[in-house]
Structures are given as C-alpha cells and as structure tokens.
Amino acid sequence: GEEIDLTDKITAMLNGYAKSLVTQVLNAFIPASSDEVLKFVYFGGEAPILEPYIKANLLQHMSGEAAKNNHFFLNDIIEQEDNEVFPPTARTINLNALEIRSIDETKKVEA
C-alpha cells in the first residue's frame, strides 16, 4: 500500500527527451546560414504527450511567434469529421500507412 510519487522524475525525463528532440530536429533541418522558413509537424504516438515539453523547449531556440507559426502538431492541422470511421490520430495514420505498405509488398510478392 505504499505510494511513491514519480511525477517529478517522469516530468524531468519527458522535458529532457523533448529538449534533445528539439535540438536534433532543428540541427538536422535548419542550416546555420539559411533564411528559408521551414514548417515542422510533430506526429507519432508520443507527440501528444510531449507537446507541452516540445513547445517549451522551442522557446529556448526561437520566439514564441516563430514557434507558433512554424511548429505544428497533428491535432492542430487535421480536422476530425463526425463521419470518420477511424479518426485521424497518430496511431490510426501509422496503422493505415502500414496497411497500405503491406498491400503494396503483397502485390510485389504475388507478381
């Protein structure tokens, strides 16, 4: 019946992961001398959990306006319709992509 609160440890881990992720993403896609504006979309199973930590860490690299205008999460750009059989979430998009890839690979084997 003993309880241990791991909130602080988990929050610190998520923030550290997001800090590393943001640094890697920005270094991978933005050359130091580029004036080109890039748009980033974060998606995947863990993106909703990491969203507040990613947003906070982006502010260490850019203004709030730049982060808001150029960094998006899947739920920011995909509108869910009432008639969706599988609502577009990171997981359903991944599953649909895997199904399409599986069908494609099956066709290659059958040919």
Side-chain angles (χ1 to χ4, degrees), residues 5 7 20 27 39 44 48 67 73 88 91 104-105 107 109-110:
D5 186 358
T7 304
S20 176
N27 287 339
K39 304 284 183 178
F73 289 81
R91 297 210 183 274
D104 188 49
E105 292 297 319
K107 288 179 181 178
V109 171
E110 292 175 350

Side-chain angles (χ1 to χ4, degrees), residues 70-104:
N70 301 313
H71 295 264
F72 305 96
F73 289 81
L74 191 62
N75 60 342
D76 295 334
I77 54 176
I78 293 183
E79 294 179 15
Q80 186 172 335
E81 300 290 331
D82 291 336
N83 63 351
E84 293 280 354
V85 175
F86 296 107
T89 65
R91 297 210 183 274
T92 58
I93 289 171
N94 286 341
L95 288 172
N96 288 332
L98 287 170
E99 179 68 19
I100 291 168
R101 187 166 184 186
S102 175
I103 291 169
D104 188 49

